[in-house]
């Protein structure tokens, strides 16, 4: 009876070690994704969230939360680039008609005057339609102006007048209209990932994973010997 109980306890220990390694791998993957997207403008850091029952749930006890801290804003020299100096998101229309939220305000203009993302998805206006210039500007820096509240205007060289185009559709994470907006034309927001913080978080994870791995090896060897002894005893 004592031997059988010891075997069961060792088996439980193996399961706990495996769950510990899987949990650490899940947390490690979140930090690895942050490091991978460090150079992506508008990328928002993901922070691991571990439940109080993670020792029983394993990797299922690890979730992630999006950090809404504003990344470093730098001047790009492109008058079509926009950075949000407040919380909120631009809206992009996917090919299937769905809308995706992004902090990446790098824009370009196609031959038809539509403002598009770097991967060619149209930016949406506050009215929910793609932003399009009525006249194709030839001197972007001189003609295109984007105000702090997101109004896009165009100086018409032929008429000498300023034409209102659209207001950029800027929303909260829930999709509602953002209350406070501060758009900076000619700037790009870098990711809010802090490299030193990510590397610092990864180091103890490696040590914990190695400790669980060593514990797994020891328990596995012990369990193998106990099973052999149990077989001889019967």
């Amino acid at each position: 009876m004592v031997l059988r109980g010891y075997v069961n306890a060792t088996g439980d220990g193996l399961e706990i070690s495996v769950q510990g390694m899987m949990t650490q791998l899940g947390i490690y993957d979140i930090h690895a994704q942050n490091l991978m997207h460090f150079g992506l403008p508008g990328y928002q850091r993901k922070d691991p969230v571990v439940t109080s029952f993670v020792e029983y749930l394993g990797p299922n006890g690890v979730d992630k939360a999006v950090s809404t801290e504003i990344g470093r804003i730098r001047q790009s020299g492109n008058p079509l680039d926009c950075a949000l100096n407040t919380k909120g998101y631009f809206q992009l229309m996917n090919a299937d008609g769905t809308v995706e939220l992004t902090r990446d305000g790098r824009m370009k203009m196609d031959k038809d005057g539509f403002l598009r993302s770097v991967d060619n998805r149209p930016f949406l206006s506050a009215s929910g339609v793609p932003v399009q210039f009525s006249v194709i500007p030839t001197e972007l820096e001189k003609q295109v102006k984007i105000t702090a509240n997101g109004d896009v205007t165009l100086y018409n060289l032929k008429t000498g007048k300023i034409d209102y185009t659209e207001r950029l559709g800027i929303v909260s994470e829930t999709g509602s209209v953002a209350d406070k907006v501060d758009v900076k034309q000619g700037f790009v927001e870098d990711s809010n990932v802090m490299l030193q913080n990510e590397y610092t978080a990864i180091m103890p994870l490696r040590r914990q994973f190695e400790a669980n791995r060593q514990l797994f090896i020891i328990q596995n060897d012990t369990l193998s010997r106990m099973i052999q002894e149990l077989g001889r005893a019967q």
Side-chain angles (χ1 to χ4, degrees):
M1 293 296 292
V2 174
L3 187 59
R4 289 181 183 274
Y6 190 82
V7 170
N8 290 337
T10 306
D12 292 341
L14 284 171
E15 183 178 357
I16 292 173
S17 296
V18 170
Q19 286 183 338
M21 287 188 286
M22 295 298 293
T23 299
Q24 283 133 22
L25 283 175
I27 298 174
Y28 182 92
D29 182 65
I30 294 174
H31 291 296
Q33 289 293 320
N34 288 337
L35 289 172
M36 185 183 304
H37 293 93
F38 168 73
L40 180 63
Y43 176 79
Q44 293 181 299
R45 183 185 75 247
K46 310 301 185 295
D47 295 323
V49 178
V50 181
T51 69
S52 56
F53 300 101
V54 69
E55 65 269 23
Y56 306 107
L57 298 175
N60 294 323
V62 179
D63 203 350
K64 54 188 175 183
V66 177
S67 169
T68 57
E69 292 179 4
I70 299 172
R72 183 175 66 89
I73 294 178
R74 58 179 171 83
Q75 194 165 8
S76 69
N78 181 1
L80 292 182
D81 285 341
C82 288
L84 280 174
N85 199 30
T86 51
K87 294 182 178 181
Y89 299 89
F90 300 106
Q91 299 178 87
L92 297 176
M93 178 177 286
N94 296 318
D96 60 0
T98 57
V99 176
E100 182 174 324
L101 305 184
T102 181
R103 294 279 301 180
D104 187 356
R106 293 176 295 169
M107 302 181 188
K108 60 182 180 180
M109 184 181 61
D110 67 12
K111 61 181 181 62
D112 298 314
F114 286 99
L115 285 182
R116 292 184 175 273
S117 64
V118 291
D119 57 359
N120 288 318
R121 289 179 293 173
F123 278 85
L124 295 182
S125 68
S127 58
V129 298
V131 179
Q132 181 184 24
F133 290 109
S134 57
V135 177
I136 305 298
T138 56
E139 301 178 42
L140 294 177
E141 190 168 351
K142 179 179 180 180
Q143 292 182 261
V144 178
K145 298 298 178 185
I146 302 175
T147 65
N149 65 356
D151 285 337
V152 182
T153 61
L154 172 68
Y155 175 67
N156 194 319
L157 294 177
K158 291 183 178 180
T159 65
K161 296 180 179 180
I162 296 177
D163 298 333
Y164 176 77
T165 301
E166 272 285 4
R167 174 172 291 184
L168 294 172
I170 302 170
V171 298
S172 67
E173 59 185 7
T174 61
S176 59
V177 178
D179 295 329
K180 183 181 178 182
V181 173
D182 183 12
V183 179
K184 296 182 70 68
Q185 182 184 11
F187 287 80
V188 169
E189 179 193 3
D190 288 330
S191 73
N192 61 4
V193 175
M194 301 293 288
L195 287 179
Q196 64 271 27
N197 292 346
E198 299 303 319
Y199 283 119
T200 301
I202 283 176
M203 290 173 62
L205 287 173
R206 289 178 173 174
R207 291 195 294 268
Q208 292 165 14
F209 181 88
E210 183 59 26
N212 273 313
R213 190 180 76 87
Q214 291 297 332
L215 186 59
F216 175 84
I217 293 173
I218 293 171
Q219 291 178 121
N220 186 58
D221 291 342
T222 303
L223 182 59
S224 296
R225 291 196 299 271
M226 290 300 101
I227 292 176
Q228 290 175 3
E229 292 182 21
L230 183 61
R232 287 194 295 268
Q234 292 178 340

